[in-house]
Every structure is written in structure tokens, then in C-alpha cells.
Amino acid sequence: MILKSQVEWALHCCAILAGLPEGRYLSTKALAELHGLPKEYLSKALQSLSQASLVETTLGPTGGYRLARSPSEINFLDIVEAVEGKARSFTCTNIRENNPCRPAGYCDSKPCAVARIMWEADKAWRDTLRRVCLSDLVNTLSEDVRPDIWQSTFEWVLKRAG
């Protein structure tokens, strides 16, 4: 399974937005600059997050994006599904029906084993993403990122936040 690059962008942007003080917004331009991304393409990912009510937006010189809910109330699956949609990652086209050894008109009583295993894997993947909230990500990043880089990043963000 290959996810759109917009999923990565959305996750990183939400991690940054999770650190914004109450009432502050960060522009698409600032988010694009911070991550070295094309603003026009990033705006599509941010629009997906907005349509899913994960971020809220405001217009004007101090406008931009902020999380619509607490970082502990937004999980990775929410973000992935906002960008990718909620469809299963595997679609069974029932090619077993093409087997020339099957009797004409034979009807299977349940989905094939391949589909069942793939759907089980998809469920496990989604369950894992559902268990990880943005607040968990922020805690992990605060441990993984060097303190000077962590601090300077948020100083940079706060200088640009409206």
C-alpha cells in the first residue's frame, strides 16, 4: 500500500499545529516553508483536513490553520482518512470466479480467504493508527528531536503564527 505524500504532509502539519497556543493560526505559506513543500499542493492536504473538521481556518493577515480539537482527540487514522478516504486498502474483484474448474453457476458462501486476510490486515493497520493521537506524537517528538532544534522550531512557528 502506498499512501499519498499528502498524508505525510498532513501528519507533520498537524504535529506543528498541535503546539500552537490557543487562538493562534499558522498560514499555509509558513507550513509550506517550514516543511520545504510547494504551497499549492500543501493547501490541498490542508483543505482535506478542514473538510474533515480536523482543522479550522480563518482569513486575513493573521489567518491560517489551527487544530479544531485537542491533540488528544485527533488520531492518525482521522488524518489518514481525511486525505485518503475511508475505503478499504484492498478491493476484492472475486477473480476466483474465473477458475475454469468451477461448476457453472456455482456460488460461494463467503468471501475468499485472500480477501478475508487482506481485510483483517487493513483492520489491524487502522486499529493501530486509531490508537495513536497527535498528543502521543508530540510527546514522542519532544523526546526524539534535539532540544535546541525543538525549541528553535517552535520559536520560528510562533513568530509566524497569527
Side-chain angles (χ1 to χ4, degrees):
M1 166 181 12
I2 298 175
L3 300 174
K4 295 174 190 167
S5 56
Q6 290 180 0
V7 170
E8 177 186 9
W9 302 352
L11 287 164
H12 278 280
C13 287
C14 285
I16 294 298
L17 296 176
L20 281 181
E22 187 67 33
R24 304 279 301 271
Y25 292 81
L26 197 59
S27 70
T28 305
K29 179 183 176 188
L31 286 164
E33 183 181 345
L34 178 65
H35 294 106
L37 300 171
K39 183 179 138 186
E40 297 74 25
Y41 292 118
L42 179 59
S43 67
K44 290 181 182 184
L46 293 169
Q47 286 171 357
S48 296
L49 295 173
S50 179
Q51 290 169 349
S53 299
L54 298 177
V55 298
E56 53 187 40
T57 64
T58 186
L59 299 174
T62 59
Y65 293 88
R66 64 171 292 101
L67 293 182
R69 301 190 307 255
S70 162
S72 63
E73 296 173 3
I74 300 173
N75 62 50
F76 270 46
L77 185 60
D78 295 329
I79 297 166
V80 169
E81 287 182 342
V83 175
E84 288 281 339
K86 296 184 180 194
R88 286 178 169 162
S89 60
F90 177 80
T91 302
C92 178
T93 60
N94 215 9
I95 66 170
R96 66 185 173 170
E97 291 179 351
N98 299 330
N99 181 341
C101 301
R102 291 166 60 103
Y106 179 79
C107 184
D108 294 293
S109 62
K110 60 184 175 182
C112 77
V114 169
R116 291 192 318 263
I117 291 167
M118 294 301 291
W119 292 337
E120 183 180 329
D122 183 77
K123 182 184 178 315
W125 176 76
R126 290 174 189 276
D127 288 346
T128 298
L129 294 177
R130 190 178 288 112
R131 284 193 300 270
V132 182
C133 296
L134 281 176
S135 56
D136 300 325
L137 172 62
V138 171
N139 291 337
T140 300
L141 289 172
S142 70
E143 295 170 4
D144 288 357
V145 177
R146 260 183 26 198
D148 60 318
I149 296 172
W150 183 255
Q151 182 176 345
S152 63
T153 299
F154 278 95
E155 288 171 1
W156 187 96
V157 166
L158 290 175
K159 284 180 186 174
R160 288 155 181 83

PDB file of all heavy atoms in Angstrom, residues 2 7 9 23 27 36 43 79-80 82 93 107 111 140 151:
ATOM      1  N   ILE A   2       0.598   2.151  -0.855  1.00  0.00           N
ATOM      2  CA  ILE A   2       1.334   3.411  -0.912  1.00  0.00           C
ATOM      3  C   ILE A   2       0.342   4.543  -0.672  1.00  0.00           C
ATOM      4  O   ILE A   2      -0.646   4.680  -1.392  1.00  0.00           O
ATOM      5  CB  ILE A   2       2.035   3.584  -2.281  1.00  0.00           C
ATOM      6  CG1 ILE A   2       3.046   2.461  -2.490  1.00  0.00           C
ATOM      7  CG2 ILE A   2       2.700   4.947  -2.362  1.00  0.00           C
ATOM      8  CD1 ILE A   2       3.706   2.467  -3.850  1.00  0.00           C
ATOM      9  N   VAL A   7      -0.493  12.612   2.900  1.00  0.00           N
ATOM     10  CA  VAL A   7      -0.720  12.053   4.238  1.00  0.00           C
ATOM     11  C   VAL A   7       0.446  12.435   5.146  1.00  0.00           C
ATOM     12  O   VAL A   7       0.247  12.900   6.271  1.00  0.00           O
ATOM     13  CB  VAL A   7      -0.904  10.519   4.187  1.00  0.00           C
ATOM     14  CG1 VAL A   7      -0.883   9.918   5.585  1.00  0.00           C
ATOM     15  CG2 VAL A   7      -2.201  10.162   3.472  1.00  0.00           C
ATOM     16  N   TRP A   9       2.483  14.931   4.741  1.00  0.00           N
ATOM     17  CA  TRP A   9       2.433  16.381   4.930  1.00  0.00           C
ATOM     18  C   TRP A   9       1.400  16.747   5.985  1.00  0.00           C
ATOM     19  O   TRP A   9       1.644  17.580   6.859  1.00  0.00           O
ATOM     20  CB  TRP A   9       2.103  17.076   3.625  1.00  0.00           C
ATOM     21  CG  TRP A   9       3.039  16.811   2.487  1.00  0.00           C
ATOM     22  CD1 TRP A   9       4.235  16.135   2.529  1.00  0.00           C
ATOM     23  CD2 TRP A   9       2.865  17.204   1.139  1.00  0.00           C
ATOM     24  NE1 TRP A   9       4.801  16.092   1.279  1.00  0.00           N
ATOM     25  CE2 TRP A   9       3.982  16.741   0.402  1.00  0.00           C
ATOM     26  CE3 TRP A   9       1.868  17.898   0.462  1.00  0.00           C
ATOM     27  CZ2 TRP A   9       4.124  16.964  -0.961  1.00  0.00           C
ATOM     28  CZ3 TRP A   9       2.016  18.119  -0.898  1.00  0.00           C
ATOM     29  CH2 TRP A   9       3.138  17.651  -1.602  1.00  0.00           C
ATOM     30  N   GLY A  23      -6.054  30.172  20.119  1.00  0.00           N
ATOM     31  CA  GLY A  23      -6.414  31.362  19.356  1.00  0.00           C
ATOM     32  C   GLY A  23      -5.416  31.782  18.287  1.00  0.00           C
ATOM     33  O   GLY A  23      -5.636  32.777  17.608  1.00  0.00           O
ATOM     34  N   SER A  27      -0.279  30.065   8.814  1.00  0.00           N
ATOM     35  CA  SER A  27      -0.646  30.123   7.400  1.00  0.00           C
ATOM     36  C   SER A  27      -0.105  28.931   6.612  1.00  0.00           C
ATOM     37  O   SER A  27       0.868  28.275   7.018  1.00  0.00           O
ATOM     38  CB  SER A  27      -0.106  31.413   6.775  1.00  0.00           C
ATOM     39  OG  SER A  27       1.314  31.344   6.680  1.00  0.00           O
ATOM     40  N   GLY A  36       9.402  22.726   3.587  1.00  0.00           N
ATOM     41  CA  GLY A  36      10.003  22.704   2.257  1.00  0.00           C
ATOM     42  C   GLY A  36       9.087  22.106   1.208  1.00  0.00           C
ATOM     43  O   GLY A  36       9.524  21.338   0.351  1.00  0.00           O
ATOM     44  N   SER A  43      -1.758  23.067   0.261  1.00  0.00           N
ATOM     45  CA  SER A  43      -3.088  23.615   0.539  1.00  0.00           C
ATOM     46  C   SER A  43      -4.178  22.574   0.296  1.00  0.00           C
ATOM     47  O   SER A  43      -5.203  22.568   0.979  1.00  0.00           O
ATOM     48  CB  SER A  43      -3.349  24.880  -0.270  1.00  0.00           C
ATOM     49  OG  SER A  43      -3.431  24.593  -1.631  1.00  0.00           O
ATOM     50  N   ILE A  79      -6.598  11.598  10.405  1.00  0.00           N
ATOM     51  CA  ILE A  79      -5.833  12.376   9.423  1.00  0.00           C
ATOM     52  C   ILE A  79      -5.666  11.597   8.129  1.00  0.00           C
ATOM     53  O   ILE A  79      -5.881  12.137   7.035  1.00  0.00           O
ATOM     54  CB  ILE A  79      -4.479  12.792  10.027  1.00  0.00           C
ATOM     55  CG1 ILE A  79      -4.716  13.710  11.239  1.00  0.00           C
ATOM     56  CG2 ILE A  79      -3.594  13.474   8.981  1.00  0.00           C
ATOM     57  CD1 ILE A  79      -3.511  13.921  12.122  1.00  0.00           C
ATOM     58  N   VAL A  80      -5.302  10.323   8.234  1.00  0.00           N
ATOM     59  CA  VAL A  80      -5.124   9.495   7.043  1.00  0.00           C
ATOM     60  C   VAL A  80      -6.425   9.423   6.245  1.00  0.00           C
ATOM     61  O   VAL A  80      -6.434   9.609   5.027  1.00  0.00           O
ATOM     62  CB  VAL A  80      -4.630   8.077   7.409  1.00  0.00           C
ATOM     63  CG1 VAL A  80      -4.695   7.142   6.214  1.00  0.00           C
ATOM     64  CG2 VAL A  80      -3.209   8.138   7.967  1.00  0.00           C
ATOM     65  N   ALA A  82      -8.894  11.524   6.292  1.00  0.00           N
ATOM     66  CA  ALA A  82      -9.241  12.844   5.746  1.00  0.00           C
ATOM     67  C   ALA A  82      -8.590  13.035   4.382  1.00  0.00           C
ATOM     68  O   ALA A  82      -9.193  13.599   3.471  1.00  0.00           O
ATOM     69  CB  ALA A  82      -8.798  13.944   6.705  1.00  0.00           C
ATOM     70  N   THR A  93     -11.934  -8.343  -6.262  1.00  0.00           N
ATOM     71  CA  THR A  93     -12.694  -8.386  -7.516  1.00  0.00           C
ATOM     72  C   THR A  93     -13.192  -9.799  -7.814  1.00  0.00           C
ATOM     73  O   THR A  93     -13.715 -10.053  -8.888  1.00  0.00           O
ATOM     74  CB  THR A  93     -11.847  -7.866  -8.693  1.00  0.00           C
ATOM     75  OG1 THR A  93     -10.686  -8.692  -8.827  1.00  0.00           O
ATOM     76  CG2 THR A  93     -11.453  -6.413  -8.477  1.00  0.00           C
ATOM     77  N   CYS A 107     -21.963 -20.739  -6.548  1.00  0.00           N
ATOM     78  CA  CYS A 107     -21.974 -19.520  -5.731  1.00  0.00           C
ATOM     79  C   CYS A 107     -21.257 -19.797  -4.416  1.00  0.00           C
ATOM     80  O   CYS A 107     -21.598 -20.735  -3.705  1.00  0.00           O
ATOM     81  CB  CYS A 107     -23.417 -19.092  -5.470  1.00  0.00           C
ATOM     82  SG  CYS A 107     -23.524 -17.530  -4.569  1.00  0.00           S
ATOM     83  N   PRO A 111     -16.755 -14.628   1.502  1.00  0.00           N
ATOM     84  CA  PRO A 111     -15.637 -14.029   0.748  1.00  0.00           C
ATOM     85  C   PRO A 111     -14.426 -14.962   0.745  1.00  0.00           C
ATOM     86  O   PRO A 111     -14.245 -15.769   1.664  1.00  0.00           O
ATOM     87  CB  PRO A 111     -15.336 -12.753   1.524  1.00  0.00           C
ATOM     88  CG  PRO A 111     -16.570 -12.450   2.300  1.00  0.00           C
ATOM     89  CD  PRO A 111     -17.186 -13.787   2.609  1.00  0.00           C
ATOM     90  N   THR A 140       6.348  12.016  21.641  1.00  0.00           N
ATOM     91  CA  THR A 140       7.451  11.269  21.030  1.00  0.00           C
ATOM     92  C   THR A 140       8.445  12.223  20.382  1.00  0.00           C
ATOM     93  O   THR A 140       9.665  12.066  20.545  1.00  0.00           O
ATOM     94  CB  THR A 140       6.912  10.267  19.980  1.00  0.00           C
ATOM     95  OG1 THR A 140       6.029   9.357  20.639  1.00  0.00           O
ATOM     96  CG2 THR A 140       8.039   9.500  19.314  1.00  0.00           C
ATOM     97  N   GLN A 151      13.138  23.596  20.317  1.00  0.00           N
ATOM     98  CA  GLN A 151      12.847  24.950  20.782  1.00  0.00           C
ATOM     99  C   GLN A 151      12.892  25.955  19.642  1.00  0.00           C
ATOM    100  O   GLN A 151      11.994  26.787  19.504  1.00  0.00           O
ATOM    101  CB  GLN A 151      13.831  25.368  21.877  1.00  0.00           C
ATOM    102  CG  GLN A 151      13.534  26.758  22.411  1.00  0.00           C
ATOM    103  CD  GLN A 151      14.437  27.144  23.569  1.00  0.00           C
ATOM    104  OE1 GLN A 151      15.105  26.302  24.155  1.00  0.00           O
ATOM    105  NE2 GLN A 151      14.447  28.419  23.900  1.00  0.00           N
TER     106      GLN A 151
END
